[in-house]
Amino acid sequence: MDYARRQRDPTKHMVGLVFVVAVHLLVIYALVTGLGRQMFQIIKKPMSATIIEEIKPPPPPPPPPKKLDTPPPPPPKIETFVPLPDTAVVTESAGPTITVVQPEPPPPKPVVVEAPPPPPPPKPAVRKGIVRLSGDDPVYPRQALRANIEKGLVLARVMIDEKGNVTDVIIVSSQPPKVFDQAVIDALKEWKFKPEGEKYVGEIEIAFKMQ
């Protein structure tokens, strides 16, 4: 179908007429129901416009005041002291005073200082070359004979009392060791020395020899 035929098509014109009629009917319905008045009143209302002022920034703060040179403070005043005249002070008697007598503390206990112990008596000097008054020579021990020991030497110290008796015998050295010791102790305990009225220590050397 060409363009001329489409323009002469009655159905196309019918759609346009129906649309126009519908618009007119809608306008008439609005006028009848008062909808048009309301729209008119809305349009008729005056429009108010407000002018928004531009917000101005706050003014800058004022510059700080210049510091003025303050003069130095005046020196403090020196007050002169004026002595008051001597006046007799009269005190009122306040009745009898109560004195509290505190008991005297007990006297301190005397400190007893113990005397130091007496020094030990000095050791008696060892005497050498003392001579016996009585007593037998030591016996040659059988142990030395069985061992065929031909000689020996013993150095002993004897403790002698005031009467010249021997109270103790101490072996200082012996060669050979412990072979002749007991024989010397048994013999020296029976010896008698010159009494001197005091105790003393004597040193005796005894030599053994097999004959």
Side-chain angles (χ1 to χ4, degrees):
M1 184 182 291
D2 57 355
Y3 180 76
R5 288 184 179 182
R6 283 186 295 175
Q7 292 295 329
R8 290 193 300 267
D9 189 6
T11 58
K12 185 177 182 181
H13 294 288
M14 183 62 69
V15 173
L17 290 175
V18 171
F19 179 77
V20 173
V21 172
V23 170
H24 282 78
L25 292 174
L26 182 60
V27 172
I28 293 170
Y29 176 78
L31 292 175
V32 173
T33 57
L35 183 60
R37 291 181 181 180
Q38 294 178 3
M39 293 177 64
F40 182 75
Q41 288 178 359
I42 292 171
I43 295 171
K44 190 177 179 181
K45 287 183 180 181
M47 299 177 66
S48 59
T50 57
I51 301 173
I52 299 173
E53 295 182 358
E54 183 181 359
I55 298 173
K56 295 180 179 181
K66 294 182 179 180
K67 292 184 179 180
L68 299 177
D69 297 334
T70 56
K77 293 181 180 181
I78 301 174
E79 297 181 357
T80 58
F81 175 74
V82 179
L84 298 176
D86 296 336
T87 57
V89 179
V90 179
T91 59
E92 296 180 358
S93 60
T97 59
I98 301 173
T99 58
V100 179
V101 179
Q102 296 182 352
E104 295 183 359
K109 295 181 179 181
V111 179
V112 178
V113 179
E114 296 181 358
K123 294 182 179 180
V126 178
R127 299 182 185 182
K128 296 183 180 181
I130 57 176
V131 180
R132 62 180 171 176
L133 297 179
S134 62
D136 298 330
D137 293 335
V139 179
Y140 205 94
R142 295 180 180 179
Q143 177 184 357
L145 293 174
R146 287 195 297 266
N148 199 19
I149 298 175
E150 296 181 356
K151 60 181 179 178
L153 183 64
V154 177
L155 180 63
R157 287 180 182 176
V158 290
M159 310 300 169
I160 304 171
D161 62 5
E162 298 87 347
K163 296 181 180 181
N165 298 319
V166 176
T167 59
D168 194 10
V169 179
I170 298 174
I171 303 299
V172 178
S173 63
S174 61
Q175 293 294 334
K178 298 182 180 182
V179 176
F180 301 96
D181 293 2
Q182 191 62 42
V184 171
I185 293 173
D186 295 340
L188 292 182
K189 283 184 178 182
E190 302 297 331
W191 284 15
K192 181 80 173 179
F193 294 90
K194 181 180 177 181
E196 296 186 4
E198 62 180 2
K199 297 179 179 180
Y200 61 96
V201 179
E203 190 172 84
I204 300 173
E205 187 178 66
I206 299 176
F208 290 86
K209 187 176 182 181
M210 182 185 297
Q211 294 180 355

